[in-house]
Amino acid sequence: MRKLLASLAITMGAVGIAHAQTDYQADADASAGQEMAQTCAACHGQQGISPSGAFPNLAGQQMSYLAKQIMDIRDGNRMVPQMAGQVDDFSDQDAWDVAAHFARQDANLGQTSDEDAELLARGEELYRAGDMSKGIPACSACHTPTGAGIGSAVYPGLSGQHAQYTVSTLQAFASGDRNNSPNNIMGDIASKMSDNDMEAVANYVLGLN
């Protein structure tokens, strides 16, 4: 009986969190978010397209994913030294407002070079089919064939993302420096990828539109 009650409590808690997130998303004010996002421009660009490969493009990103990252950084669940103090005073609704602002911007249209066809072919293979010999699933299963991501599952869009940032993110997941993906699924996947695999996928998704 106690186990049943505990299970019900956990289920109800999860349902409550889901409803709260739905409310925040429904109430998200992109105009308010735009005002709050002014300080983000130095690293992420005025329209959410970063001038530096070291920082992610935020334009066109899934709103749910962006809001989660802001709150995870605020709450110490994701460590980003460059973001220290930037979102400490954000409420949950602030996070959703800023996420709404960036989500409505036009995503970056990246372009890859044809000079390294072998690398891009490996990237496409990993993205479309994975590598079962290494236990690496297809990236497209969670991030969709077009790289748009799945907002309802909080899976981010990858298309047009800077290759440098994608590689550094995969490295962080592989090393355990970052572990805030659902059930740490990205930590498990990235740890099975070689440096070449990471470079290949990163360059492939840059030009995935």
Side-chain angles (χ1 to χ4, degrees):
M1 186 65 175
R2 288 181 180 176
K3 289 183 178 180
L4 176 60
L5 290 174
S7 177
L8 285 172
I10 291 171
T11 300
M12 292 303 293
V15 170
I17 291 171
H19 278 304
Q21 289 181 340
T22 300
D23 289 342
Y24 283 126
Q25 185 164 357
D27 293 338
D29 184 342
S31 296
Q34 181 178 13
E35 205 168 307
M36 297 190 69
Q38 292 304 307
T39 57
C40 307
C43 294
H44 300 288
Q46 287 289 346
Q47 304 302 319
I49 297 177
S50 175
S52 168
F55 302 113
N57 295 321
L58 304 182
Q61 184 56 269
Q62 293 289 342
M63 191 193 310
S64 59
Y65 176 78
L66 286 179
K68 181 183 186 297
Q69 299 314 303
I70 292 170
M71 291 185 285
D72 279 356
I73 292 168
R74 177 198 65 190
D75 298 339
N77 296 321
R78 178 181 170 189
M79 306 308 295
V80 182
Q82 299 92 330
M83 291 286 294
Q86 296 293 317
V87 296
D88 288 358
D89 297 329
F90 274 34
S91 66
D92 287 359
Q93 191 62 63
D94 291 338
W96 281 97
D97 290 348
V98 170
H101 162 64
F102 284 118
R104 68 188 288 182
Q105 306 304 310
D106 292 333
N108 181 52
L109 295 177
Q111 187 172 2
T112 55
S113 171
D114 293 330
E115 293 180 5
D116 200 337
E118 186 176 341
L119 185 72
L120 291 178
R122 174 58 175 166
E124 182 175 16
E125 177 187 21
L126 287 167
Y127 192 85
R128 302 291 179 189
D131 186 336
M132 293 303 101
S133 68
K134 292 185 173 183
I136 301 172
C139 308
S140 59
C142 292
H143 301 285
T144 76
T146 62
I150 304 174
S152 59
V154 201
Y155 295 147
L158 301 180
S159 62
Q161 189 57 264
H162 291 303
Q164 180 184 345
Y165 177 75
T166 300
V167 169
S168 66
T169 299
L170 288 170
Q171 290 173 336
F173 276 124
S175 68
D177 288 342
R178 180 175 171 184
N179 57 9
N180 71 325
S181 64
N183 298 315
N184 197 31
I185 185 173
M186 283 307 305
D188 180 59
I189 294 171
S191 66
K192 298 171 182 175
M193 299 176 72
S194 67
D195 290 344
N196 185 73
D197 289 340
M198 293 180 184
E199 287 283 351
V201 167
N203 280 278
Y204 178 72
V205 298
L206 169 63
L208 182 62
N209 300 307

